[in-house]
Amino acid sequence: MRHFLDLHKLTSEDLRGILTQAAAMKTARTGQPKGAPDDGVPLAGRMVALVFEKPSTRTRVSFDVGVRQLGGETLVLSGKDMQLGHGETIADTARVLSRYVDLIMIRTFKEETLLELAEYATVPVINGLTDASHPCQIMADMLTFEEHRGPIKGRKVVWAGDGNNVCTSFLHAAGQLGFDLTFTGPEALDPDPEAVAFARGKGSTVEIERDPLKAANGASLIVTDTWMSMHDPESARQRRHAMLRPYQVNEALMAAAGGNALFMHCLPAHRGEEASDGVMDGPNSVIFDEAENRLHAQKAIMRWCLRV
């Protein structure tokens, strides 16, 4: 069984193979209509369940379109449809869904929900996002960086702002793919220490630098994410804004990197908060390539899971 749960649970060779296939499939689609099927339609006859406890735009659209391009069909289920862990156990839901579909993608809150689903499912499970990690996004980010700047191994990545679930997966990728990461943000929002330890244990340099301009020096890539969750109360929003305002990615921060650094944001963005309009729309921004590459990276992940 090949589950795609977190980047540190796969081998670096598997991750590199997925990225290679994603790049090849993207190249092969050049000039084709967006609805055209891929050659060979490797998911023909396959049914993929897309389970959303958390709402989504990019994850839902990119997985749905990806399955269709690969020749498969999707069954989209919301948290209201399923009541995961309420009334029926997650284990039983996993057993039942496995009788109907060939692959399950889940976007949920607790990492434990993902892990229990994978433990009892008899088909592959893909982590579409949890509160702890977001591995599909980082595979798209790696694909994006390398198509613009070449191999990421040995490069310096700067994460600015909140050391959240996306930052955790970036640290996992640093260890697996051999790049260094500097976090700049308030101490209260430091990244997950286990993810930091994993990356360091794999030989990557991970630094914490409170001065964002110092952190940006020599960076090949600067990344940020939204400061707010849709579930945060207004009082929490105000506190987080005050903490994070010094870590906005703006023109001065990009200049401190030396002028050649790429800028990424997994979107949706609150323009003028975590990043300025000038950076988001600037020549070094690859945020829309990054969004497109969710499609190609996830298609390669699904093919890896199903060995097709």
Side-chain angles (χ1 to χ4, degrees):
M1 187 70 62
R2 281 183 168 180
H3 298 306
F4 186 85
L5 303 180
D6 279 303
L7 300 183
H8 66 306
K9 296 179 179 179
L10 279 72
T11 67
S12 56
E13 292 77 16
D14 281 336
L15 295 176
R16 180 51 62 191
I18 291 169
L19 289 171
T20 298
Q21 183 165 60
M25 286 193 295
K26 181 176 182 178
T27 299
R29 289 195 64 83
T30 302
Q32 291 191 52
K34 293 180 176 63
D38 287 2
D39 290 342
V41 286
L43 262 61
R46 307 286 185 118
M47 178 65 71
V48 178
L50 307 179
V51 181
F52 293 94
E53 271 203 301
K54 266 190 168 182
S56 163
T57 300
R58 273 150 293 280
T59 299
R60 177 168 179 166
V61 173
S62 57
F63 266 107
D64 200 347
V65 171
V67 172
R68 293 166 188 264
Q69 287 182 355
L70 292 171
E73 296 187 50
T74 60
L75 175 66
V76 180
L77 298 165
S78 72
K80 286 188 273 187
D81 296 326
M82 302 192 65
Q83 297 293 310
L84 270 174
H86 304 284
E88 181 177 61
T89 67
I90 294 166
D92 285 352
T93 297
R95 293 180 178 110
V96 170
L97 269 182
S98 297
R99 299 296 181 101
Y100 300 141
V101 304
D102 300 286
L103 178 67
I104 302 168
M105 188 288 303
I106 183 168
R107 181 178 173 97
T108 187
F109 293 92
K110 296 179 181 179
E111 182 89 354
E112 293 78 12
T113 300
L114 167 77
L115 298 179
E116 186 173 352
L117 191 74
E119 180 180 355
Y120 291 96
T122 55
V123 299
V125 173
I126 295 174
N127 176 1
L129 174 140
T130 71
D131 288 344
S133 62
H134 197 359
C136 288
Q137 178 64 56
I138 275 53
M139 293 298 282
D141 294 352
M142 298 299 99
L143 179 62
T144 305
F145 181 89
E146 294 196 337
E147 68 185 11
H148 283 272
R149 293 288 189 267
I152 197 166
K153 185 175 182 179
R155 304 296 190 104
K156 176 182 175 179
V157 173
V158 171
W159 180 277
D162 180 1
N164 61 11
N165 54 348
V166 186
C167 182
T168 293
S169 289
F170 246 104
L171 285 162
H172 291 158
Q176 295 286 51
L177 300 176
F179 60 89
D180 301 325
L181 189 143
T182 296
F183 172 82
T184 186
E187 185 176 0
L189 298 176
D190 274 354
D192 174 41
E194 290 185 7
V196 171
F198 172 82
R200 287 174 174 164
K202 288 282 191 172
S204 296
T205 298
V206 178
E207 297 180 340
I208 308 292
E209 173 54 67
R210 302 300 173 199
D211 184 330
L213 296 180
K214 288 182 181 177
N217 183 43
S220 296
L221 170 63
I222 296 178
V223 192
T224 192
D225 194 6
T226 180
W227 292 346
M228 301 298 156
S229 166
M230 65 184 72
H231 307 288
D232 289 339
E234 184 58 33
S235 58
R237 288 172 178 264
Q238 292 175 5
R239 287 195 302 272
R240 288 172 67 86
H241 265 275
M243 282 194 296
L244 287 163
R245 196 169 292 115
Y247 300 98
Q248 182 192 66
V249 181
N250 51 34
E251 289 82 346
L253 188 65
M254 294 299 293
N260 196 43
L262 295 178
F263 169 71
M264 289 188 187
H265 188 309
C266 67
L267 303 178
H270 297 85
R271 285 172 173 263
E273 294 184 7
E274 61 267 17
S276 66
D277 281 343
V279 169
M280 293 193 67
D281 297 326
N284 290 15
S285 173
V286 291
I287 58 176
F288 298 113
D289 291 344
E290 190 184 355
E292 177 191 345
N293 282 338
R294 287 288 300 276
L295 170 65
H296 307 295
Q298 289 162 184
K299 284 164 65 176
I301 290 166
M302 289 188 283
R303 293 189 67 172
W304 178 84
C305 287
L306 293 170
R307 303 174 189 265
V308 294

